[in-house]
Amino acid sequence: MSTAPPTQAAPVPGGSDAGGTRPRIQKIGVTIICVVAGLLFGTSASLARTSVPTTGAQDLPGLITARDQQVKTLADRAEELRLEVQALEQGAGDSAVQQASRVAERLAPSVGLAPVTGAAVQVTLDDAGYSLDTLPPDLTVDDVVVHQQDLQAVVNALWAGGAEALMVQDQRIVSTSAVQCVGNTLYLQGRVYSPPYTITAIGDPATMHAALLNDPVVETYRQWAAAIGLGYVVQDIAQVEMPAFAGGVPMRYATVTTPAKPSEVPTTQG
């Protein structure tokens, strides 16, 4: 394919000096761009060599561990203060204070604020134990781990079976407790746990076993556990000592009531 001969450039007005100005400007512009680019590359390299702090989001596992230890420390301190308050109440001379303390002591076991001992049923739930390399192609990661609804189903079934006191992992469960999962970990009352998860309930073993067998959500988990290898173990324990609930019990609403008369103070049987 032929090409047309190049056309001669038109003369630049102003003579030969004006024609030589553009190359000089272009050279200066290229030089400036190179200098700026060099500064940018140098700055980027300097920032890349700068050490990144290991706090905050960069060290999330360490942050969780530190937070968990802080909660444990505060829980121990809260228990010390509770015992101190109890000693002060017992030494108080006011009859009204002593009466209120006696009522609180009688109610404490039923609301989880006192340690209890008795025969128990313990349920252990665990992940199936697959890795990304061994995970069957027809399953996902969510299929082979214990979920929040699985834990809640076991807890609810044991309560329905007449559990008098209940503990998840090493913490006493009360009416304000919330069983929550964050990813594949359990977040319970400010602390984080990894599987396996244990739910222990004091009460009549036969009744609680029947409640577990009859609960439809627990039955679905059992079937899924048998199919893919999730952990589900139920065992009786002759004697269990459960600690008192160590956290706070916040009140959202409160009303002023008149003091109860001695004849109106509730009593417990046994």
Side-chain angles (χ1 to χ4, degrees), residues 140-211:
T140 67
V141 175
D142 285 340
D143 295 329
V144 296
V145 298
V146 179
H147 289 282
Q148 176 175 316
Q149 63 265 26
D150 304 324
L151 284 164
Q152 289 175 335
V154 172
V155 170
N156 291 338
L158 291 171
W159 282 131
E164 301 170 6
L166 195 141
M167 186 167 62
V168 175
Q169 301 296 85
D170 58 347
Q171 292 200 59
R172 186 78 175 271
I173 300 299
V174 295
S175 60
T176 57
S177 301
V179 178
Q180 297 177 323
C181 285
V182 180
N184 63 339
T185 59
L186 168 65
Y187 182 77
L188 179 62
Q189 295 167 174
R191 295 174 58 186
V192 180
Y193 301 89
S194 298
Y197 305 121
T198 59
I199 305 99
T200 308
I202 291 179
D204 179 58
T207 306
M208 290 189 289
H209 278 292

